[in-house]
Amino acid sequence: MAMIANTTQPQGWMYHLKVIAAFAVCFSLGTLIATAQTNNAPQSAPVASQAMPPDQQPQKQIETLAVVNGQPINRQQIAQECLRRFGADVLETIIKKYLVTVECERSGIKITEGDINNEIVAEAKKLGWSAERWLEVISSDKELTVDQIKNDYVWNKLALRSLVAKQIEVSQEELDEQMEFEFGSKVQVRQIVLDTAEQAQQIVQVARANPGDFERLAKKHSIDPNSASVGGLLPPIRKNSGLPQFEQAAFALAPEQISEPIQIADKFIVLRCERVFPAEELPEDQLMAIHDRLVSEISNAKMGDAAMDLLTNLQQSAKIQNVMNDPQLSVQMPGVAAIVNGVQIPKNHVAEECIVRYGKDMLETEINRSLLSQTLQKNGMQVAQDDINAEISRAAEALGHLDPTGKIDVDRWLKFVTGNDLAKVDFYIEDEVWPTVAVKKLVESSVSVTEEDMQKGFEANYGPRVEVLAIMTNDHRQAQKVWTMAAANPTAEYFGQLAFQYSIEPASKNNYGQVPPIQRHGGRAELEKEAFNLKVGEISKVVQVGEFWVIMYCQGQTEPVVTEFAAVKDEIHRTILEKKMRLAMYEKFQQIREEAQIDNFLAGTSQTGAADIRSARQTDETNR
């Protein structure tokens, strides 16, 4: 349980993210505006596409989107699958865009191309990028064209901001709170999280009798694994960060003082103050710039909330008939998705918008499904319902979805994995379970667990671990410099200060070098070897881990809790088998992809299968 979130993300991003969430799909609405009516919508309500000028009529689309080993996947198939999964959300987004557009017309708000270009330049400048770079990144991330980014993504933000701008005011109190959050004093504490008030009171008594023992008590008793692994240490706490009760208790402590138990939700927390950081002294010549930045960020954050309220009001006051989700209406008007204030939104428009947004990913899903179906058929295999049920049960058990008696609770797992929307169970089975079972069938006979695997698994999960302080840098010369300083004064306190000053990894920096204990066979062989060779108080050599360099200060080794191999043998076997199975499945699927002939016309890619290449080479050699 992470009690405090101390990331200082600018508030200005909150509005940006809310707008993205509200308008995730692009849609051209000029025709809908032109045909908007205020009367109730009869079945003969105008259809948007009927009034489109010739240059806005939908272009002829390619019908075959991909060919997989000679088997075609057509546009209608992808449109249907996209509609099943995303149609409701896309339609809602289209309706929102339409309502905002009408409101802009009513309010006399016009967003010009110049406004859009200026906004792009401003957004790029925040990141130190050119406008071209910003467009390129957003285009790649959202899979949108530049025109779509400008006319919808940026337009939406500007339209909403213009509609709610007059409502926004920033008070002096809000400015003061944000100033205190960013530049005010901070306090760093260790915490012990417990289940009951009685446990917390007992810990308070033991800790106050020996305050220096708090770190050991946190490791032994705290039920929050993230902070327990570093002796309960939390990153520095700021005021106005969102947990006033926790902040008040932390800031009331002097260094080495231990708090009374604090109840947060259903947990009880005991704190020990480690250090207090004074407020920053800000240069006079920067105060105006800081003031302007904070006003802008707070305004943008409030605009996000106001924009959501505006959308809600527009939707509540509009007359909306969702034809697509009404079985009776969808039969009467099969080509209509919805009617909004008298204007029909065609279903094929929604389908095409689904393809614009989700088509590439959906097509990849269908390509993979086709590849697996072909491979299963080639090997005389098939996925049965019992296989599907077994995989769902395995996943539920693996992630701890058990009832009070210890029995696998499949219903609870399905609610969890679908976000409590059981209508999406079919999608979960089709897109996640079926492919998993298919690949597993293809490899399960080749996967086994050896005695060496079992021994390594026991050492990794139940063997001793090395407790270290660590400093990570991305520059070898810098690492050598830090190592020299640490070696000249090899104490834990000084090493922690160096970690706070030089480590580029946030956890080790904020926690003065404290990191989770290092285990054997964790995938970092050189680092593990060096750690397990250290004695208490020794400093490691500079160890390269990928593109980083790490220095460690050894604080000792943990005592294994489990020493009997037989007691955990079955659990280790199950865990290792699962890991090896997953690796074999990944490698098998990569092989299937590489061997296939795939023409993806939507993405504009073509792949000649490795098997075809080998065959062509053999034919060529024979002809020679």
Side-chain angles (χ1 to χ4, degrees), residues 467-624:
E467 294 184 312
V468 300
L469 303 179
I471 300 171
M472 177 184 290
T473 76
N474 56 4
D475 181 90
H476 185 251
R477 185 174 296 180
Q478 178 86 315
Q480 291 287 3
K481 172 187 171 183
V482 174
W483 183 91
T484 300
M485 290 189 287
N489 184 10
T491 65
E493 183 178 0
Y494 183 63
F495 194 94
Q497 292 291 338
L498 291 176
F500 182 75
Q501 185 174 358
Y502 293 104
S503 186
I504 65 168
E505 192 274 318
S508 58
K509 178 181 180 65
N510 292 329
N511 295 336
Y512 287 80
Q514 292 205 13
V515 295
I518 296 174
Q519 68 184 81
R520 293 188 188 275
H521 313 300
R524 302 162 298 178
E526 188 65 26
L527 187 73
E528 294 164 19
K529 179 180 178 182
E530 181 69 12
F532 278 92
N533 283 336
L534 293 174
K535 296 178 181 177
V536 176
E538 282 188 342
I539 295 174
S540 73
K541 67 182 181 181
V542 177
V543 182
Q544 184 173 1
V545 181
E547 59 188 57
F548 301 101
W549 283 265
V550 179
I551 308 164
M552 297 175 287
Y553 177 93
C554 181
Q555 295 183 300
Q557 293 190 13
T558 62
E559 289 292 330
V561 176
V562 177
T563 57
E564 293 294 328
F565 177 76
V568 292
K569 181 178 179 180
D570 292 343
E571 178 62 27
I572 292 173
H573 185 276
R574 184 162 50 248
T575 300
I576 295 175
L577 180 62
E578 180 66 20
K579 288 181 178 179
K580 294 187 75 172
M581 181 73 74
R582 295 290 158 179
L583 178 60
M585 290 165 64
Y586 171 79
E587 292 175 345
K588 180 63 176 180
F589 185 69
Q590 290 301 110
Q591 178 191 356
I592 292 171
R593 288 280 309 197
E594 291 169 2
E595 297 272 335
Q597 167 71 47
I598 304 171
D599 297 309
N600 186 326
F601 302 114
L602 191 59
T605 61
S606 184
Q607 169 187 309
T608 301
D612 290 339
I613 293 174
R614 289 195 300 269
S615 177
R617 286 175 178 171
Q618 292 172 357
T619 301
D620 192 40
E621 290 174 1
T622 301
N623 292 336
R624 289 179 185 175

Side-chain angles (χ1 to χ4, degrees), residues 64 66-73 77 366 370 373-374 377 597:
T64 298
V67 179
V68 183
N69 292 328
Q71 179 178 321
I73 299 175
Q77 178 182 345
E366 291 302 308
S370 180
S373 296
Q374 292 172 8
Q377 185 176 9
Q597 167 71 47

